[in-house]
Amino acid sequence: MNRVTDRDPDIARTGRGRASSRPLAWAGLAVMVLGARGCGEESRPMPGPPDGEDGVALELVTSGLEFPLGLTAPEADPRLFVVEKGGRIRIVRDGALLPEPFLDISANVSRGSEQGLLGLAFHPAYATNGRFFVDYTDTDGNTRVSAWRVSADADRADAASEEVLLTIEQPFSNHNGGGLAFGPDGYLYIGMGDGGSGGDPLGNGRDLGDLLGSLLRIDVSGASGYAIPADNPFAGREGARGELWDLGLRNPWRFSFDRATGDLYIADVGQSEREEIDVAARADGGGRGLDYGWNVMEGSVCYGGGSCDRTGLVLPVTEYSHDLGCSVTGGYVYRGSAVPAIQGQYFYADYCQGWVRSFRFQGGAASDPREWPALAPGGPVASFGEDSAGELYVLDAGGSVYRVVAVP
């Protein structure tokens, strides 16, 4: 996941500001606060949004998981695949959690701090090629992005099929990012944090010569390995890594693509003052070559106070200060059919406070902000999920998965 605090964990456990309408039943787990720092310190008060309308609720899908960090599914597949931080991928089929994992690489995964099995994405042609991709921190604490294949048993991966595509050195144990997703262009995108510690001491966030602090974009359409797409913004530039799609990210804890528009949403965890959501419209290039500003900027303010040169830096479409939370968890734009009232809204959460919020991206800006007390699970929101039909799920750090449903 992306959350061990680089500050006093008691601050994360108590929280400050507006809390969820439900008690933080799993507050003891909030030490995993995904790289946030100093809830409430140096914050600039910002108002919270109004509550969303009635008519939605959480429906328990399964419980008893070990720190679920992601949920996804192959195209047109009714099963749910849930990522556990410790190194297992579990399947929910016909409403039941299968006893045997789809994949268990726990022996190869470091899981202290913000490390672990962090991301999963199925190839768009998974139904015919059986390929899927995993992001995890290995036993040396470095990021691995690997390709795998399913076995003859559709509910079990081939445990011997791993092909390591990327190994990325991690200088510290936090800010590993770890999200994986295929974009509307068919390329695989990989979320990378700045390498950790606090304040990006190595300057990785805006260094074109490494793979940290950015989303990466690679072509995995070949039978093995990967290629760098020719239209990647820094491909062929001397001293730059061609895999980079953008730069200036601190710790993207969940990015996603709107399945209707292709727009890219990135939730970037802040340092001491602001949590932010960035949106890059597909029509405007989908974020190609954008600089989101870390560590010059934190949200819309200059990091460390004072003035800074904002030339060429992209500001978030929405943000909140640390009097309202301390670590953003990104989600999805709802494109399912079960809850028509929330169509087109992007959902996100705060890990420490446990609230769930949404907004609509219209005309290049965030509009219609809402908070949804009925969707707060009562504990830290570790991640969101989306099934093959576009229905939305909320994952709490205590081990439960909930589906967002409509109620009268």
Side-chain angles (χ1 to χ4, degrees):
M1 211 190 70
N2 69 330
R3 308 189 188 221
V4 162
T5 176
D6 34 36
R7 49 114 170 62
D8 182 356
D10 288 336
I11 299 176
R13 281 192 284 267
T14 58
R16 292 180 62 178
R18 183 179 181 183
S20 165
S21 61
R22 301 186 184 193
L24 287 180
W26 297 99
L29 290 174
V31 66
M32 294 294 296
V33 284
L34 297 173
R37 181 171 180 265
C39 277
E41 69 185 52
E42 300 180 310
S43 64
R44 300 179 182 182
M46 302 172 68
D51 287 348
E53 59 268 24
D54 295 331
V56 299
L58 292 180
E59 176 182 84
L60 180 65
V61 174
T62 191
S63 59
L65 295 160
E66 296 182 9
F67 223 127
L69 295 184
L71 181 153
T72 188
E75 185 175 347
D77 193 320
R79 296 172 297 173
L80 306 176
F81 291 75
V82 184
V83 173
E84 293 182 319
K85 183 179 186 292
R88 298 186 300 178
I89 299 172
R90 309 291 300 277
I91 294 178
V92 178
R93 189 181 66 197
D94 299 327
L97 180 66
L98 300 189
E100 295 298 322
F102 176 69
L103 179 68
D104 185 351
I105 57 171
S106 55
N108 302 323
V109 174
S110 59
R111 43 193 178 272
S113 184
E114 296 169 25
Q115 301 165 334
L117 176 54
L118 304 176
L120 167 66
F122 290 94
H123 194 282
Y126 178 78
T128 56
N129 67 22
R131 300 185 76 204
F132 64 96
F133 300 83
V134 163
D135 184 306
Y136 67 96
T137 51
D138 64 20
T139 53
D140 292 324
N142 297 318
T143 289
R144 278 193 185 183
V145 178
S146 295
W148 300 75
R149 293 185 183 275
V150 69
S151 72
D153 178 351
D155 290 333
R156 299 296 297 272
D158 179 351
S161 67
E162 181 178 16
E163 178 197 1
V164 178
L165 302 180
L166 281 168
T167 299
I168 302 171
E169 182 179 355
Q170 291 286 356
F172 303 97
S173 62
N174 56 340
H175 303 184
N176 298 301
L180 296 176
F182 279 90
D185 50 18
Y187 294 126
L188 179 63
Y189 289 72
I190 304 162
M192 296 299 303
D194 65 8
S197 188
D200 193 13
L202 303 180
N204 294 323
R206 303 177 72 239
D207 182 357
L208 297 181
D210 65 50
L211 298 178
L212 300 172
S214 306
L215 295 190
L216 314 181
R217 179 181 184 248
I218 61 175
D219 181 354
V220 292
S221 61
S224 62
Y226 73 90
I228 295 173
D231 62 344
N232 272 12
F234 308 108
R237 180 183 297 190
E238 184 178 357
R241 292 296 300 261
E243 296 93 338
L244 299 178
W245 181 245
D246 55 25
L247 66 154
L249 296 172
R250 181 177 180 270
N251 197 21
W253 187 244
R254 298 328 192 198
F255 67 92
S256 63
F257 294 92
D258 182 340
R259 60 171 59 199
T261 67
D263 296 343
L264 171 63
Y265 290 71
I266 306 172
D268 199 17
V269 178
Q271 180 75 34
S272 60
E273 206 169 331
R274 297 289 176 97
E275 304 296 306
E276 68 180 86
I277 306 287
D278 301 292
V279 182
R282 187 183 186 190
D284 296 329
R288 183 181 186 275
L290 295 186
D291 184 344
Y292 294 105
W294 176 253
N295 66 355
V296 175
M297 303 286 295
E298 181 185 2
S300 65
V301 300
C302 297
Y303 174 60
S307 61
C308 58
D309 183 2
R310 306 185 187 195
T311 304
L313 305 184
V314 178
L315 299 182
V317 299
T318 196
E319 60 185 339
Y320 61 92
S321 61
H322 280 186
D323 60 319
L324 297 178
C326 77
S327 188
V328 68
T329 297
Y332 296 87
V333 177
Y334 180 74
R335 296 297 181 186
S337 59
V339 195
I342 60 174
Q343 265 285 340
Q345 297 192 48
Y346 172 77
F347 286 83
Y348 65 103
D350 184 77
Y351 182 83
C352 297
Q353 291 293 337
W355 47 250
V356 173
R357 293 179 178 174
S358 72
F359 65 84
R360 296 181 186 274
F361 183 65
Q362 296 176 319
S367 64
D368 190 26
R370 291 286 185 268
E371 183 166 334
W372 300 87
L375 302 185
V381 180
S383 194
F384 290 83
E386 187 183 45
D387 67 18
S388 62
E391 298 303 331
L392 183 67
Y393 297 77
V394 178
L395 285 60
D396 81 35
S400 297
V401 172
Y402 301 89
R403 181 186 294 110
V404 176
V405 297
V407 294

